[in-house]
Amino acid sequence: MAAGDEGRQDDGHEEAHPRSVAVFGRAPCPTAVPPGYSGPALEAVMSPTLWIVLLSCTGSPSDDTGGAVGDSGDGGAGEALCDDGLRKREFQQAVQDDSLLAVAANTTIPTLAGDYILQDHWDGCDVMLFINDEPPQARSSDWGTALWERDVADLFARAPANTIFFFGSDHADAADREASLSMLQAEVVDAFRDMSDEERAWWEPRIHYVDGRFRDVYGWVGDVIRSPGWGAVLDRTQHIRYIGSYADVDRYSSSAGWFEPNLSMAANEAIYANYLAALAQHREDDGATVVTLWDRELISDTNWSGTRGRTTVQLPDADTMAGFDTLELDLTMHCNGAGEYGTCPPWDYLVYLYLCDEGQTEGCSTEFGRWITTYHRQAEWIHDVSDLLPLIAGGGTRTFEFYTTQEYEISLSLRLSNQGRDTRPVQTHFLFSGGAFDADYNDAYEPIEVEIPATARKVELATVISGHGQVSPGNCAEFCPTEHHFYVNGTDNVRVLDNAGTETGCMDMVDQGVVPNQYGTWWYGRSGWCPGWLVPMVVMDITDQVTPGATATFDYEGFRDGQPYESSGASIVLSSFLTIRQ
């Protein structure tokens, strides 16, 4: 297996993983591991997905060879590392600024245990959550239950071990603040009763109670609590982020027409912060040649007229392009304003990057990337689309288009690099697209023949699939599992989009880059996609199904429950490619 190809699967079935997000060659451990912190207690702290990824990393939960969070690990090159293998971040000096994504300045937080000076406690590995008792997204007056009244044990069970908590009351009256903190402290004591001694010893020094009114804390901490008031995240690169919605998929209120809050949803923010830390280090370490397509440029098509953003860039020359084996898309969707809820667009819509044919002036049709927007939050992703590298192998001047209905400030770049894979893509052939998913869906497809070069060392099938529409039966194709059969010389390679319709299928993928705590029904699994995520390119190795120097025949069918879908109104958005590697 080539370096950087760990996300591939060689059997041609759905278990093939998308080369995307946290899988940058070797998957980084997504959470810090406390020393001596093992057994069921640690499993409770991490989601199943995080646990699996952790076990694939160097060391194990009971391995004390690595440094504890806050200790200097041995990076092999004099670097200080966190327990998840990511670099420790030095504290940056900054001016007081409470804006979203600002670098946090040093400040002193008065706690019941004494002053907490941020710079003195900074270790470059932790994520800090600042949780207030009456945030506007979870006021007790709206729900009849205080945010801190329940779910405290679940919060500690779900939070990554490198989380630090600051709980503060923002009541104006001192007696009300004392009552609120006392209620929370009682819940914490109850949570500790069910922990092992090791767990309790780990979490106790990581829980801080703000002394005084939360908004009166000096600097950015108090300012963020005052407005917008959502609560804050200080991520591992020292940037200020907001806590999103606390809505719990299991707590629908028919009287409110929405979902009641759950304090433990804040843990998703810490999980996501660890994903962002891995993303930041990848940008620093991959040695990529970066070609910027757009840099915080406003793009939208609010009138649904088909208007696209368009840019022409200069790629490296063909000889330089021949030295790259990896192509990644790095997209950040900034909201046009200072906040998230009320500023960021509200809906989970498709957005696309298109590559124009050389000399093409409009209507570019080659899909180069696909994403789904969030409900009211900013987002960023990197994902691997190396199988499309041959489409730009000639280098030089190329034109791209970007489509989004809702208005965003788009920052999008190509990351070209050599990751030392044992092959590189040299030819890409488009195969099949999607369409209306109905009784006639499969009638549109005819076999396609492609000559496989005699020099081919590896042959791959790359697919990008997402299902849309909410049609009965099955709520298809957004929420119904569908099966997609790609036949190569008669051999069936199947992708089953079985995450569709699951209750927490998208929430379970926060560690892979799904934006957490969106202000909408973001938790539910969809058909090949999630709100606030990339639509992944899934690559299957089909080398054993073709013969170099001979013609290969490809065909495709799509079904629900093994049969054509009989209703109308659903759709499958599909791009599929054959890639030759040498």
Side-chain angles (χ1 to χ4, degrees):
M1 183 176 294
D5 284 354
E6 287 83 350
R8 296 168 181 267
Q9 188 80 8
D10 294 335
D11 60 5
H13 292 283
E14 167 57 15
E15 287 76 7
H17 298 293
R19 288 198 307 264
S20 60
V21 294
V23 184
F24 304 125
R26 183 179 182 85
C29 306
T31 185
V33 183
Y37 195 65
S38 60
L42 183 59
E43 294 177 22
V45 170
M46 294 179 289
S47 70
T49 302
L50 289 172
W51 183 254
I52 292 168
V53 176
L54 177 62
L55 293 179
S56 71
C57 302
T58 303
S60 67
S62 58
D63 182 1
D64 291 329
T65 58
V69 176
D71 294 339
S72 294
D74 181 5
E79 288 187 315
L81 302 181
C82 305
D83 273 342
D84 58 6
L86 298 181
R87 278 191 300 276
K88 292 171 177 275
R89 300 279 176 168
E90 295 294 329
F91 190 85
Q92 307 171 63
Q93 297 302 323
V95 298
Q96 292 294 338
D97 183 351
D98 65 339
S99 59
L100 183 65
L101 300 181
V103 176
N106 187 35
T107 190
T108 299
I109 304 168
T111 76
L112 297 183
D115 286 348
Y116 186 103
I117 301 173
L118 181 61
Q119 180 175 339
D120 292 350
H121 290 272
W122 180 263
D123 77 347
C125 298
D126 291 327
V127 177
M128 299 182 180
L129 298 183
F130 298 81
I131 301 175
N132 44 329
D133 54 351
E134 292 286 342
Q137 70 271 49
R139 289 192 180 100
S140 58
S141 58
D142 295 331
W143 297 103
T145 302
L147 180 63
W148 292 354
E149 191 173 330
R150 55 185 177 177
D151 309 316
V152 173
D154 289 341
L155 174 64
F156 298 138
R158 295 192 62 240
N162 64 327
T163 308
I164 294 176
F165 297 94
F166 291 87
F167 295 103
S169 174
D170 201 41
H171 286 291
D173 182 78
D176 290 339
R177 291 198 300 272
E178 182 179 356
S180 183
L181 282 175
S182 294
M183 176 178 61
L184 173 64
Q185 288 171 311
E187 291 294 315
V188 171
V189 169
D190 285 345
F192 280 174
R193 289 195 183 101
D194 294 329
M195 291 185 184
S196 67
D197 291 343
E198 291 83 5
E199 286 179 287
R200 191 162 50 251
W202 178 257
W203 285 117
E204 277 184 325
R206 291 177 162 267
I207 300 170
H208 306 277
Y209 305 99
V210 174
D211 187 8
R213 193 177 187 185
F214 211 166
R215 68 175 57 197
D216 292 338
V217 174
Y218 171 74
W220 65 268
V221 174
D223 291 343
V224 168
I225 296 302
R226 182 180 300 107
S227 178
W230 310 114
V233 183
L234 184 57
D235 69 20
R236 291 167 63 166
T237 59
Q238 206 178 320
H239 289 89
I240 301 167
R241 299 177 183 272
Y242 299 154
I243 293 176
S245 171
Y246 285 100
D248 182 351
V249 65
D250 290 325
R251 291 182 179 168
Y252 183 75
S253 168
S254 57
S255 60
W258 191 239
F259 301 82
E260 294 183 15
N262 183 327
L263 176 63
S264 72
M265 298 298 284
N268 292 325
E269 304 287 353
I271 295 169
Y272 186 63
N274 284 333
Y275 156 81
L276 291 173
L279 212 63
Q281 183 160 315
H282 176 67
R283 290 189 180 105
E284 296 166 354
D285 291 355
D286 69 346
T289 296
V290 178
V291 179
T292 300
L293 304 184
W294 292 275
D295 183 10
R296 299 201 73 140
E297 293 193 31
L298 280 174
I299 300 177
S300 68
D301 180 30
T302 55
N303 294 323
W304 298 82
S305 62
T307 301
R308 299 177 180 180
R310 186 177 177 90
T311 187
T312 298
V313 297
Q314 190 71 22
L315 301 177
D317 61 30
D319 288 343
T320 303
M321 293 293 295
F324 299 131
D325 60 17
T326 300
L327 167 63
E328 294 172 322
L329 304 178
D330 187 349
L331 172 64
T332 299
M333 302 189 74
H334 307 273
C335 304
N336 184 20
E340 286 191 303
Y341 186 79
T343 300
C344 298
W347 293 110
D348 53 336
Y349 285 168
L350 283 156
V351 298
Y352 298 92
L353 174 67
Y354 295 98
L355 172 67
C356 304
D357 294 338
E358 295 187 67
Q360 190 172 9
T361 58
E362 61 181 11
C364 306
S365 58
T366 300
E367 181 183 315
F368 215 68
R370 189 189 315 165
W371 302 262
I372 309 290
T373 58
T374 69
Y375 299 104
H376 294 286
R377 301 207 75 180
Q378 298 199 90
E380 58 182 287
W381 312 274
I382 295 176
H383 72 297
D384 192 320
V385 293
S386 296
D387 282 58
L388 302 183
L389 193 53
L391 300 182
I392 56 172
T397 302
R398 297 303 301 262
T399 298
F400 295 84
E401 293 181 343
F402 190 87
Y403 182 78
T404 171
T405 300
Q406 303 172 111
E407 185 177 73
Y408 289 93
E409 288 185 357
I410 298 299
S411 294
L412 177 57
S413 60
L414 312 179
R415 302 186 67 86
L416 299 158
S417 64
N418 186 340
Q419 298 302 314
R421 295 175 174 175
D422 62 355
T423 62
R424 57 180 300 274
V426 295
Q427 291 184 25
T428 297
H429 302 270
F430 183 81
L431 293 175
F432 305 102
S433 59
F437 190 58
D438 54 22
D440 299 325
Y441 179 72
N442 294 317
D443 295 343
Y445 301 106
E446 297 290 339
I448 295 174
E449 293 187 344
V450 179
E451 183 74 19
I452 307 300
T455 55
R457 293 179 55 201
K458 181 182 281 189
V459 182
E460 296 177 332
L461 174 68
T463 61
V464 183
I465 312 174
S466 56
H468 304 273
Q470 298 177 19
V471 178
S472 181
N475 218 3
C476 284
E478 180 172 342
F479 293 108
C480 70
T482 56
E483 310 96 44
H484 301 270
H485 300 260
F486 297 88
Y487 303 97
V488 181
N489 289 330
T491 299
D492 189 3
N493 302 272
V494 186
R495 277 197 64 191
V496 180
L497 305 182
D498 55 4
N499 197 38
T502 57
E503 187 172 68
T504 60
C506 287
M507 188 171 77
D508 294 339
M509 296 172 66
V510 169
D511 64 311
Q512 299 177 50
V514 172
V515 176
N517 300 342
Q518 300 171 48
Y519 294 89
T521 56
W522 71 281
W523 328 272
Y524 302 130
R526 267 73 167 188
S527 185
W529 60 277
C530 288
W533 200 45
L534 53 90
V535 181
M537 174 175 285
V538 174
V539 176
M540 303 178 186
D541 187 340
I542 58 170
T543 307
D544 293 343
Q545 301 170 34
V546 301
T547 301
T551 298
T553 302
F554 300 85
D555 210 343
Y556 164 73
E557 293 178 305
F559 299 110
R560 177 186 179 240
D561 294 334
Q563 300 294 325
Y565 186 63
E566 296 296 331
S567 296
S568 60
S571 66
I572 298 294
V573 182
L574 163 66
S575 290
S576 58
F577 304 88
L578 172 70
T579 300
I580 309 297
R581 286 178 166 265
Q582 292 180 356

